[in-house]
Short mmCIF file of all heavy atoms in Angstrom, two decimals:
data_model
loop_
_atom_site.label_atom_id
_atom_site.label_comp_id
_atom_site.label_asym_id
_atom_site.label_seq_id
_atom_site.Cartn_x
_atom_site.Cartn_y
_atom_site.Cartn_z
N GLN A 277 -13.05 -118.79 77.65
CA GLN A 277 -11.66 -119.17 77.42
C GLN A 277 -11.29 -120.26 78.42
O GLN A 277 -11.23 -120.03 79.62
CB GLN A 277 -10.74 -117.96 77.57
CG GLN A 277 -11.06 -116.85 76.59
CD GLN A 277 -10.96 -117.31 75.16
OE1 GLN A 277 -9.89 -117.66 74.69
NE2 GLN A 277 -12.07 -117.31 74.44
N GLN A 278 -11.01 -121.45 77.92
CA GLN A 278 -10.80 -122.59 78.80
C GLN A 278 -9.38 -122.72 79.30
O GLN A 278 -9.12 -123.37 80.29
CB GLN A 278 -11.19 -123.87 78.05
CG GLN A 278 -12.65 -123.90 77.62
CD GLN A 278 -12.99 -125.13 76.80
OE1 GLN A 278 -12.10 -125.82 76.32
NE2 GLN A 278 -14.27 -125.39 76.64
N PHE A 279 -8.45 -122.11 78.60
CA PHE A 279 -7.06 -122.27 78.98
C PHE A 279 -6.42 -120.90 79.13
O PHE A 279 -5.63 -120.48 78.29
CB PHE A 279 -6.31 -123.10 77.94
CG PHE A 279 -6.94 -124.43 77.68
CD1 PHE A 279 -7.71 -124.64 76.56
CD2 PHE A 279 -6.77 -125.45 78.60
CE1 PHE A 279 -8.31 -125.87 76.34
CE2 PHE A 279 -7.36 -126.69 78.37
CZ PHE A 279 -8.12 -126.90 77.25
N LEU A 280 -6.75 -120.21 80.20
CA LEU A 280 -6.19 -118.88 80.43
C LEU A 280 -4.87 -119.00 81.17
O LEU A 280 -4.72 -119.81 82.07
CB LEU A 280 -7.16 -118.03 81.25
CG LEU A 280 -8.46 -117.64 80.54
CD1 LEU A 280 -9.33 -116.82 81.50
CD2 LEU A 280 -8.19 -116.85 79.29
N ASP A 281 -3.92 -118.19 80.81
CA ASP A 281 -2.65 -118.16 81.51
C ASP A 281 -2.88 -117.64 82.92
O ASP A 281 -3.53 -116.63 83.13
CB ASP A 281 -1.66 -117.24 80.76
CG ASP A 281 -0.23 -117.45 81.20
OD1 ASP A 281 0.01 -117.53 82.42
OD2 ASP A 281 0.63 -117.53 80.31
N LYS A 282 -2.32 -118.33 83.91
CA LYS A 282 -2.54 -117.93 85.30
C LYS A 282 -1.82 -116.63 85.64
O LYS A 282 -2.19 -115.96 86.59
CB LYS A 282 -2.05 -119.05 86.24
CG LYS A 282 -2.89 -120.32 86.15
CD LYS A 282 -2.41 -121.36 87.14
CE LYS A 282 -3.25 -122.63 87.06
NZ LYS A 282 -2.81 -123.65 88.02
N ASP A 283 -0.81 -116.28 84.88
CA ASP A 283 -0.06 -115.05 85.12
C ASP A 283 -0.43 -114.06 84.04
O ASP A 283 0.02 -114.17 82.90
CB ASP A 283 1.45 -115.33 85.10
CG ASP A 283 2.27 -114.09 85.45
OD1 ASP A 283 1.67 -113.00 85.53
OD2 ASP A 283 3.46 -114.21 85.65
N PRO A 284 -1.26 -113.03 84.36
CA PRO A 284 -1.68 -112.08 83.32
C PRO A 284 -0.52 -111.33 82.71
O PRO A 284 -0.57 -110.94 81.55
CB PRO A 284 -2.64 -111.14 84.09
CG PRO A 284 -2.28 -111.30 85.52
CD PRO A 284 -1.82 -112.72 85.67
N ALA A 285 0.55 -111.11 83.48
CA ALA A 285 1.70 -110.40 82.92
C ALA A 285 2.34 -111.22 81.80
O ALA A 285 2.77 -110.68 80.79
CB ALA A 285 2.73 -110.12 84.03
N VAL A 286 2.37 -112.56 81.98
CA VAL A 286 2.93 -113.42 80.95
C VAL A 286 2.02 -113.44 79.73
O VAL A 286 2.46 -113.33 78.59
CB VAL A 286 3.14 -114.85 81.49
CG1 VAL A 286 3.56 -115.79 80.35
CG2 VAL A 286 4.19 -114.85 82.59
N SER A 287 0.70 -113.56 79.96
CA SER A 287 -0.23 -113.64 78.85
C SER A 287 -0.27 -112.37 78.03
O SER A 287 -0.61 -112.37 76.87
CB SER A 287 -1.64 -113.97 79.36
OG SER A 287 -2.16 -112.90 80.12
N LEU A 288 0.09 -111.24 78.65
CA LEU A 288 0.10 -109.97 77.94
C LEU A 288 1.48 -109.62 77.41
O LEU A 288 1.69 -108.55 76.85
CB LEU A 288 -0.40 -108.85 78.86
CG LEU A 288 -1.87 -108.90 79.22
CD1 LEU A 288 -2.21 -107.84 80.26
CD2 LEU A 288 -2.73 -108.71 77.99
N GLY A 289 2.45 -110.51 77.57
CA GLY A 289 3.78 -110.26 77.05
C GLY A 289 4.50 -109.14 77.76
O GLY A 289 5.33 -108.45 77.17
N MET A 290 4.20 -108.91 79.02
CA MET A 290 4.80 -107.81 79.77
C MET A 290 6.21 -108.15 80.25
O MET A 290 6.50 -109.29 80.56
CB MET A 290 3.90 -107.43 80.95
CG MET A 290 2.50 -106.99 80.54
SD MET A 290 1.41 -106.60 81.93
CE MET A 290 2.12 -105.05 82.47
N LYS A 291 7.05 -107.14 80.30
CA LYS A 291 8.42 -107.30 80.76
C LYS A 291 8.68 -106.37 81.92
O LYS A 291 8.09 -105.29 82.02
CB LYS A 291 9.41 -107.00 79.62
CG LYS A 291 9.34 -107.96 78.45
CD LYS A 291 10.40 -107.61 77.41
CE LYS A 291 10.39 -108.57 76.25
NZ LYS A 291 11.43 -108.24 75.24
N GLU A 292 9.59 -106.79 82.79
CA GLU A 292 9.96 -105.95 83.92
C GLU A 292 10.74 -104.74 83.41
O GLU A 292 11.50 -104.82 82.45
CB GLU A 292 10.79 -106.74 84.92
CG GLU A 292 10.04 -107.85 85.63
CD GLU A 292 10.89 -108.53 86.69
OE1 GLU A 292 12.02 -108.07 86.91
OE2 GLU A 292 10.43 -109.52 87.27
N GLY A 293 10.57 -103.62 84.10
CA GLY A 293 11.33 -102.42 83.78
C GLY A 293 10.75 -101.59 82.66
O GLY A 293 11.33 -100.56 82.29
N VAL A 294 9.60 -102.00 82.11
CA VAL A 294 8.97 -101.24 81.03
C VAL A 294 7.71 -100.55 81.55
O VAL A 294 6.88 -101.18 82.19
CB VAL A 294 8.57 -102.15 79.84
CG1 VAL A 294 7.86 -101.33 78.77
CG2 VAL A 294 9.80 -102.85 79.26
N THR A 295 7.61 -99.25 81.34
CA THR A 295 6.41 -98.51 81.70
C THR A 295 5.46 -98.57 80.52
O THR A 295 5.72 -98.00 79.46
CB THR A 295 6.74 -97.03 82.03
OG1 THR A 295 7.66 -97.00 83.13
CG2 THR A 295 5.47 -96.29 82.41
N TYR A 296 4.36 -99.28 80.69
CA TYR A 296 3.47 -99.52 79.57
C TYR A 296 2.53 -98.36 79.32
O TYR A 296 2.01 -97.77 80.26
CB TYR A 296 2.69 -100.82 79.78
CG TYR A 296 3.56 -102.03 79.59
CD1 TYR A 296 4.26 -102.58 80.65
CD2 TYR A 296 3.73 -102.59 78.33
CE1 TYR A 296 5.09 -103.68 80.46
CE2 TYR A 296 4.55 -103.68 78.13
CZ TYR A 296 5.24 -104.22 79.19
OH TYR A 296 6.07 -105.29 78.99
N LEU A 297 2.35 -98.06 78.03
CA LEU A 297 1.49 -96.96 77.63
C LEU A 297 0.02 -97.34 77.78
O LEU A 297 -0.34 -98.50 77.67
CB LEU A 297 1.77 -96.60 76.17
CG LEU A 297 3.19 -96.15 75.83
CD1 LEU A 297 3.33 -95.99 74.31
CD2 LEU A 297 3.53 -94.85 76.54
N THR A 298 -0.80 -96.34 78.01
CA THR A 298 -2.25 -96.52 78.03
C THR A 298 -2.88 -95.34 77.29
O THR A 298 -2.28 -94.26 77.21
CB THR A 298 -2.81 -96.56 79.47
OG1 THR A 298 -2.44 -95.35 80.15
CG2 THR A 298 -2.26 -97.76 80.23
N PRO A 299 -4.06 -95.52 76.74
CA PRO A 299 -4.72 -94.41 76.02
C PRO A 299 -4.94 -93.22 76.95
O PRO A 299 -5.24 -93.38 78.13
CB PRO A 299 -6.06 -95.03 75.59
CG PRO A 299 -5.82 -96.50 75.58
CD PRO A 299 -4.86 -96.76 76.69
N THR A 300 -4.78 -92.02 76.40
CA THR A 300 -4.96 -90.81 77.19
C THR A 300 -6.30 -90.15 76.93
O THR A 300 -6.65 -89.17 77.60
CB THR A 300 -3.83 -89.80 76.87
OG1 THR A 300 -3.85 -89.52 75.45
CG2 THR A 300 -2.47 -90.38 77.25
N HIS A 301 -7.06 -90.66 75.97
CA HIS A 301 -8.36 -90.11 75.67
C HIS A 301 -9.20 -91.17 74.98
O HIS A 301 -8.70 -92.23 74.61
CB HIS A 301 -8.24 -88.87 74.77
CG HIS A 301 -7.64 -89.16 73.43
ND1 HIS A 301 -6.27 -89.25 73.22
CD2 HIS A 301 -8.21 -89.41 72.22
CE1 HIS A 301 -6.03 -89.52 71.96
NE2 HIS A 301 -7.19 -89.63 71.32
N HIS A 302 -10.48 -90.89 74.83
CA HIS A 302 -11.38 -91.82 74.15
C HIS A 302 -11.38 -91.54 72.65
O HIS A 302 -11.34 -90.38 72.22
CB HIS A 302 -12.80 -91.70 74.71
CG HIS A 302 -12.91 -92.07 76.15
ND1 HIS A 302 -12.41 -93.25 76.65
CD2 HIS A 302 -13.46 -91.41 77.20
CE1 HIS A 302 -12.65 -93.30 77.96
NE2 HIS A 302 -13.27 -92.21 78.31
N TYR A 303 -11.45 -92.59 71.86
CA TYR A 303 -11.45 -92.48 70.41
C TYR A 303 -12.89 -92.58 69.92
O TYR A 303 -13.60 -93.53 70.22
CB TYR A 303 -10.59 -93.58 69.79
CG TYR A 303 -9.12 -93.41 70.05
CD1 TYR A 303 -8.56 -93.83 71.25
CD2 TYR A 303 -8.28 -92.83 69.11
CE1 TYR A 303 -7.21 -93.66 71.52
CE2 TYR A 303 -6.93 -92.68 69.34
CZ TYR A 303 -6.39 -93.10 70.56
OH TYR A 303 -5.05 -92.93 70.81
N GLU A 304 -13.31 -91.58 69.13
CA GLU A 304 -14.70 -91.51 68.65
C GLU A 304 -14.82 -92.11 67.26
O GLU A 304 -14.82 -91.40 66.26
CB GLU A 304 -15.19 -90.05 68.65
CG GLU A 304 -15.25 -89.42 70.03
CD GLU A 304 -16.30 -90.07 70.91
OE1 GLU A 304 -17.29 -90.61 70.38
OE2 GLU A 304 -16.14 -90.04 72.15
N THR A 305 -14.89 -93.43 67.18
CA THR A 305 -15.12 -94.10 65.91
C THR A 305 -16.62 -94.27 65.71
O THR A 305 -17.38 -94.24 66.68
CB THR A 305 -14.43 -95.47 65.88
OG1 THR A 305 -15.03 -96.31 66.89
CG2 THR A 305 -12.93 -95.35 66.16
N PRO A 306 -17.08 -94.43 64.46
CA PRO A 306 -18.53 -94.61 64.22
C PRO A 306 -19.17 -95.74 65.04
O PRO A 306 -20.24 -95.52 65.62
CB PRO A 306 -18.60 -94.87 62.72
CG PRO A 306 -17.41 -94.14 62.16
CD PRO A 306 -16.33 -94.32 63.18
N PRO A 307 -18.56 -96.94 65.13
CA PRO A 307 -19.20 -98.00 65.94
C PRO A 307 -19.32 -97.63 67.41
O PRO A 307 -20.35 -97.90 68.04
CB PRO A 307 -18.27 -99.21 65.74
CG PRO A 307 -17.56 -98.94 64.46
CD PRO A 307 -17.38 -97.46 64.42
N LEU A 308 -18.27 -97.01 67.94
CA LEU A 308 -18.30 -96.62 69.36
C LEU A 308 -19.31 -95.49 69.58
O LEU A 308 -20.02 -95.48 70.59
CB LEU A 308 -16.91 -96.20 69.81
CG LEU A 308 -16.61 -96.13 71.33
CD1 LEU A 308 -17.15 -94.88 71.97
CD2 LEU A 308 -17.14 -97.38 72.04
N LYS A 309 -19.40 -94.55 68.64
CA LYS A 309 -20.34 -93.45 68.75
C LYS A 309 -21.77 -93.99 68.77
O LYS A 309 -22.62 -93.53 69.55
CB LYS A 309 -20.16 -92.48 67.58
CG LYS A 309 -21.10 -91.27 67.62
CD LYS A 309 -20.83 -90.40 68.84
CE LYS A 309 -21.55 -89.05 68.75
NZ LYS A 309 -23.01 -89.17 68.67
N LYS A 310 -22.05 -94.96 67.90
CA LYS A 310 -23.40 -95.55 67.86
C LYS A 310 -23.70 -96.27 69.16
O LYS A 310 -24.80 -96.15 69.71
CB LYS A 310 -23.51 -96.52 66.68
CG LYS A 310 -24.89 -97.10 66.51
CD LYS A 310 -24.99 -97.94 65.25
CE LYS A 310 -26.40 -98.49 65.07
NZ LYS A 310 -26.51 -99.29 63.81
N LEU A 311 -22.72 -97.00 69.68
CA LEU A 311 -22.90 -97.69 70.96
C LEU A 311 -23.15 -96.70 72.08
O LEU A 311 -24.02 -96.90 72.93
CB LEU A 311 -21.68 -98.57 71.27
CG LEU A 311 -21.75 -99.37 72.57
CD1 LEU A 311 -22.79 -100.47 72.44
CD2 LEU A 311 -20.39 -99.96 72.91
N ASP A 312 -22.40 -95.61 72.08
CA ASP A 312 -22.55 -94.58 73.12
C ASP A 312 -23.93 -93.95 73.06
O ASP A 312 -24.55 -93.70 74.10
CB ASP A 312 -21.46 -93.52 72.95
CG ASP A 312 -21.52 -92.47 74.03
OD1 ASP A 312 -21.24 -92.80 75.20
OD2 ASP A 312 -21.88 -91.31 73.72
N ASP A 313 -24.42 -93.67 71.85
CA ASP A 313 -25.75 -93.06 71.71
C ASP A 313 -26.83 -93.98 72.28
O ASP A 313 -27.75 -93.52 72.98
CB ASP A 313 -26.05 -92.76 70.24
CG ASP A 313 -25.22 -91.62 69.69
OD1 ASP A 313 -24.67 -90.84 70.50
OD2 ASP A 313 -25.11 -91.49 68.46
#
């Protein structure tokens, strides 16, 4: 990527005052299961 935003918060569309969600567990899809095996 030749033109990356220097501020990751801006590039990810993040706003102040918002608690951002993150996954709480791993998702077992067929492609991921094959990669894991």
Side-chain angles (χ1 to χ4, degrees):
Q277 300 301 295
Q278 299 176 346
F279 304 102
L280 292 179
D281 196 314
K282 293 182 179 180
D283 185 350
V286 173
S287 67
L288 290 173
M290 300 178 72
K291 295 182 178 181
E292 293 185 4
V294 178
T295 300
Y296 286 90
L297 300 173
T298 57
T300 58
H301 63 278
H302 297 309
Y303 291 81
E304 296 294 333
T305 63
L308 197 282
K309 181 63 169 61
K310 184 174 181 179
L311 181 69
D312 182 68
D313 290 342

